[in-house]
Amino acid sequence: IQQLEGRMSEHTDRCSRRGFLASLAALGAVHLAAPARGFGLASDRKIKLGFDNFSIRAFDWKAPRLIEYAESLNADTLLMSDLEVYESLEENYLKGIREQAERAGIELQAGTSSICPTSKSYNAEKWGKAEDHARLLIRTAKRLGSPVARCYLGSRRDRDGEGGINRHIEEMLKVLKAVRSEAEDANVKIAVENHAGDMQAWELVELIEAAGKDFVGATMDPGNAAWTLEDPLVNLEVLGPYVVTTGIRDTAVWETENGAMCMWANMGEGAVDWSAYLKRFKDLCPNVPFVLEIISYRWSNESKYLEPGFWSRFPKARAHEFARFVALAKRGKEFELPSGRPTGAASPELEQAQQKF
């Protein structure tokens, strides 16, 4: 984003986009074509490019300002992954937001947080019943013209305790079935994310199939995949046919004394082979936008899989997929912060600068 903005004073929006895409290629992310909108590999089919407002959350921008920013970047898609981004959820206000995005040529996608009532991530005090929270999301998506309604189950904490992740999956399934008619009437697909170490890809697929893949799909996050012992490319192979939107970031993975460390990284700074990823993405996820959710804060997670107690969290882990993750860790190296990243005493201004970077 910073590289793109630096060019905007010298070029038109279209040329700025070319510069941004070229900079990704220079990082080794992928060889890109550079049309006015969308990007691709050798074929003519282009991938829509966008970002999640969570990437720049420190600015606390509301929907109108985010749309302006997305337009300045010549983005195709803007995923607003929380409901707090709107000044109102009333129909007239959301209609105005939809019209602003349409004028800018930007596809809006709506989202919220957990809709699983038993998850440690669910905020019952704020949202009330999980089914009502899901219905609010669906109504918001419909009013915005969003084809998807992004949400999630919880986090890695939900893998602990009696019943593990399965008891939460069962409760999440009940919520999804309870709002099926509303989603179908709104022509909105509920897009459940593999989030913060909660579900492995195959577990999310089982949830989607049990609920009904005609109205439930996946928000695919390769960064979160690494928190559940998955090589992002394995995650793509399993989830790909169910994906309706994405939250893309790079991840550094390297071996430790007790297992492996994963740290989210800027695009091209981690362990993911983006040329291979994009090529397969185009095959498995046609017409799905490539939405960047880049985490600038140094969030990391160590999977201590060499300690016996670790495996109570993953009692049904699939050995052939885990082997791919171990191979990824063996190839990886400890993450080093990229050159040029803003540093200094903690402050809101520094956080904003790091997110722009």
Side-chain angles (χ1 to χ4, degrees):
I1 289 171
Q2 185 184 55
Q3 290 168 338
L4 173 59
E5 288 187 325
R7 294 181 173 92
M8 286 183 64
S9 61
E10 303 173 13
H11 303 287
T12 64
D13 285 347
R14 181 174 298 186
C15 290
S16 297
R17 182 176 176 81
R18 289 194 184 102
F20 173 57
L21 297 175
S23 70
L24 284 184
L27 286 171
V30 65
H31 297 292
L32 303 173
R37 286 187 182 270
F39 68 93
L41 297 171
S43 73
D44 291 330
R45 191 172 77 252
K46 305 304 177 185
I47 299 174
K48 292 180 287 186
L49 180 63
F51 68 92
D52 183 334
N53 70 295
F54 191 74
S55 301
I56 50 171
R57 63 198 177 281
F59 290 87
D60 199 28
W61 286 340
K62 297 300 183 183
R65 180 68 184 91
L66 285 164
I67 294 171
E68 291 173 359
Y69 188 61
E71 185 178 14
S72 76
L73 300 179
N74 205 15
D76 305 292
T77 306
L78 171 61
L79 170 58
M80 293 187 283
S81 57
D82 62 88
L83 295 176
E84 291 82 359
V85 78
Y86 310 106
E87 295 160 293
S88 169
L89 294 177
E90 295 300 319
E91 187 169 5
N92 286 340
Y93 171 83
L94 294 176
K95 179 182 177 182
I97 297 300
R98 177 176 180 171
E99 291 172 349
Q100 180 188 355
E102 288 173 347
R103 290 192 298 270
I106 294 168
E107 174 190 338
L108 292 183
Q109 295 188 337
T112 193
S113 54
S114 171
I115 63 167
C116 177
T118 56
S119 169
K120 294 179 176 67
S121 300
Y122 189 70
N123 190 337
E125 183 178 348
K126 180 176 184 177
W127 300 116
K129 293 179 61 178
E131 292 88 344
D132 292 337
H133 186 197
R135 292 185 179 104
L136 177 62
L137 171 61
I138 292 166
R139 286 198 304 274
T140 302
K142 179 181 179 181
R143 290 170 177 176
L144 289 170
S146 170
V148 302
R150 174 266 187 187
C151 58
Y152 57 80
L153 185 154
S155 75
R156 57 186 173 177
R157 296 181 299 164
D158 296 313
R159 300 198 73 92
D160 296 325
E162 185 177 355
I165 196 66
N166 288 331
R167 72 183 184 93
H168 302 296
I169 291 174
E170 291 172 2
E171 294 302 318
M172 180 82 163
L173 180 58
K174 293 176 185 177
V175 173
L176 292 171
K177 288 184 175 180
V179 300
R180 178 179 189 129
S181 61
E182 287 94 334
E184 291 178 335
D185 290 345
N187 197 29
V188 168
K189 205 154 193 177
I190 300 174
V192 181
E193 181 178 328
N194 58 302
H195 183 262
D198 59 1
M199 288 181 285
Q200 293 188 306
W202 68 270
E203 292 168 324
L204 179 50
V205 166
E206 286 192 350
L207 173 63
I208 293 169
E209 289 281 2
K213 62 182 180 181
D214 51 335
F215 83 102
V216 181
T219 300
M220 182 171 62
D221 188 320
N224 288 332
W227 280 26
T228 58
L229 309 177
E230 290 180 320
D231 181 328
L233 281 162
V234 170
N235 177 265
L236 170 61
E237 289 290 342
V238 177
L239 270 188
Y242 300 87
V243 171
V244 292
T245 191
T246 56
I248 305 291
R249 76 180 72 90
D250 206 346
T251 307
V253 183
W254 66 95
E255 286 191 300
T256 65
E257 182 178 345
N258 297 309
M261 183 71 78
C262 304
M263 183 175 289
W264 294 331
N266 295 68
M267 296 296 287
E269 299 286 345
V272 180
D273 181 344
W274 288 109
S275 292
Y277 194 98
L278 262 294
K279 184 176 181 181
R280 195 66 180 128
F281 183 92
K282 294 182 75 171
D283 293 336
L284 294 174
C285 311
N287 304 315
V288 175
F290 198 79
V291 177
L292 300 176
E293 186 196 2
I294 297 173
I295 307 297
S296 63
Y297 185 73
R298 295 190 67 183
W299 279 342
S300 61
N301 175 58
E302 185 177 14
S303 295
K304 298 181 179 181
Y305 50 74
L306 295 181
E307 295 182 355
F310 173 86
W311 289 100
S312 63
R313 301 182 184 92
F314 294 92
K316 297 182 180 180
R318 306 200 295 197
H320 64 290
E321 294 178 358
F322 174 61
R324 291 275 298 275
F325 178 78
V326 172
L328 182 69
K330 286 183 176 296
R331 295 194 303 271
K333 60 181 181 178
E334 186 169 351
F335 180 68
E336 297 181 1
L337 289 172
S339 175
R341 182 179 187 268
T343 60
S347 68
E349 292 75 20
L350 177 64
E351 188 176 4
Q352 290 177 352
Q354 288 175 342
Q355 289 179 9
K356 275 284 190 76
F357 176 82

